[in-house]
């Protein structure tokens, strides 16, 4: 189970995006149909972040 904390509204936002993905209606910013589940989740988190909902900060690679 994930230790990161997302607000209920953020979880609902990601859920709605995943429903669009499952129906085949989700499109990326370039207009292409999203075919990857991880990409769909990333889009949902990004939209939640833009809406100002509680979403943990992005991890930064230490290289």
């Amino acid at each position: 189970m994930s230790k990161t904390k997302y607000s209920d509204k953020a979880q609902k936002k990601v859920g709605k995006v995943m429903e669009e993905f499952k129906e085949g209606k989700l499109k990326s910013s370039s207009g292409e149909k999203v075919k990857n589940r991880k990409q769909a989740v990333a889009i949902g988190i990004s939209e939640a972040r833009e809406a100002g909902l509680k979403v943990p900060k992005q991890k930064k690679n230490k290289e």
Side-chain angles (χ1 to χ4, degrees):
M1 189 166 171
S2 177
K3 293 182 181 181
T4 56
K5 297 289 184 181
Y6 293 85
S7 68
D8 289 335
K9 288 183 180 182
Q11 290 179 26
K12 288 180 184 178
K13 178 68 122 176
V14 174
K16 286 181 184 179
V17 169
M18 291 308 293
E19 285 177 20
E20 285 183 38
F21 169 70
K22 289 176 185 176
E23 293 171 0
K25 296 179 181 177
L26 184 62
K27 296 189 180 188
S28 65
S29 60
S30 64
E32 299 278 325
K33 194 181 284 188
V34 175
K35 298 177 183 174
N36 188 342
R37 185 176 176 86
K38 285 185 178 181
Q39 186 180 6
V41 172
I43 290 170
I45 292 172
S46 176
E47 287 183 9
R49 193 172 278 126
E50 285 177 10
L53 303 175
K54 183 182 175 195
V55 180
K57 293 180 181 178
Q58 292 177 324
K59 292 183 180 180
K60 294 184 179 178
N61 291 338
K62 295 180 181 179
E63 290 185 27

